[in-house]
Amino acid sequence: MDFGKAIIALKQGKAIQRKGWNGKGLFVVKQIPASINADIIPKMQSLPQSAKDILMSRENPHIDYTNQMLIVNPDGRADSWVPSSSDVFAEDWCVIGEEE
């Protein structure tokens, strides 16, 4: 499928990948939007203390996660992901679990 259909699948909560990727087992997901409040921020493992300090010094400490995509590697490592031009124009996208 093309990238437009892949984006629709991401919006539906599905995991996608390209058949042509050399790294087998890679997949992309759209993170679920979330609002993290002041009760959670100090406990977050994914933020350095400096970021926690800045956020907690604000009048209304919070983080709103929106519109982020992750690429997850076979070893479980997750990185933020932005598609390349070749990804955008590729026709070999598929939804994991719905491959032909």
Side-chain angles (χ1 to χ4, degrees):
M1 72 179 156
D2 66 25
F3 190 64
K5 291 178 183 165
I7 290 293
I8 292 168
L10 285 175
K11 288 179 179 180
Q12 294 171 344
K14 297 178 181 176
I16 61 169
Q17 65 186 179
R18 286 193 53 199
K19 293 177 183 175
W21 275 343
N22 290 332
K24 300 302 177 199
L26 292 170
F27 67 92
V28 174
V29 293
K30 180 183 180 291
Q31 282 190 279
I32 296 169
S35 184
I36 310 300
N37 64 31
D39 294 336
I40 302 298
I41 291 170
K43 301 173 191 170
M44 292 180 70
Q45 295 178 330
S46 60
L47 288 179
Q49 189 60 48
S50 59
K52 294 177 193 180
D53 292 343
I54 293 166
L55 289 165
M56 294 306 292
S57 72
R58 293 181 174 173
E59 184 176 327
N60 179 19
H62 71 283
I63 300 172
D64 290 326
Y65 284 106
T66 60
N67 300 322
Q68 297 185 105
M69 291 184 286
L70 291 179
I71 189 163
V72 182
N73 294 273
D75 65 2
R77 188 184 79 240
D79 295 303
S80 61
W81 183 75
V82 176
S84 68
S85 296
S86 62
D87 290 327
V88 170
F89 293 109
E91 301 278 336
D92 66 343
W93 286 100
C94 62
V95 174
I96 296 178
E98 296 180 10
E99 297 92 90
E100 297 173 2

